[in-house]
Amino acid sequence: MLNTYFRVIVGIMVLLSVVLAVYVSINWLWFTVFIGVNLIQSAFTKWCLLETILVKLGVKKEGKGCSI
């Protein structure tokens, strides 16, 4: 369940940042860069802030880390 929530939230954040970049300011693409960098670092460190937040909110863990 955790992996499903993770994918949905990250997908929404990426789409939202692209929409904001098109309609508000191109600088919103930095948010997309931030998301990408966090995905890369979580692949190496096996730690993800979003995962930690979701677990504290009571989402059940299945598997390891933010694996995509």
Side-chain angles (χ1 to χ4, degrees):
M1 186 57 81
L2 182 65
N3 200 15
T4 303
Y5 278 101
F6 175 80
R7 289 174 186 247
V8 169
I9 292 169
V10 171
I12 288 170
M13 289 192 312
V14 168
L15 290 174
L16 178 65
S17 68
V18 170
V19 169
L20 288 169
V22 169
Y23 293 107
V24 178
S25 170
I26 195 73
N27 288 324
W28 278 102
L29 288 179
W30 287 108
F31 185 54
T32 309
V33 171
F34 173 75
I35 294 167
V37 169
N38 277 301
L39 287 170
I40 293 168
Q41 74 79 24
S42 71
F44 291 106
T45 64
K46 306 297 186 227
W47 180 81
C48 177
L49 178 61
L50 179 57
E51 178 184 311
T52 304
I53 292 169
L54 290 173
V55 169
K56 288 187 180 205
L57 289 173
V59 177
K60 299 280 187 219
K61 231 179 179 183
E62 62 177 44
K64 294 183 178 181
C66 290
S67 59
I68 294 181

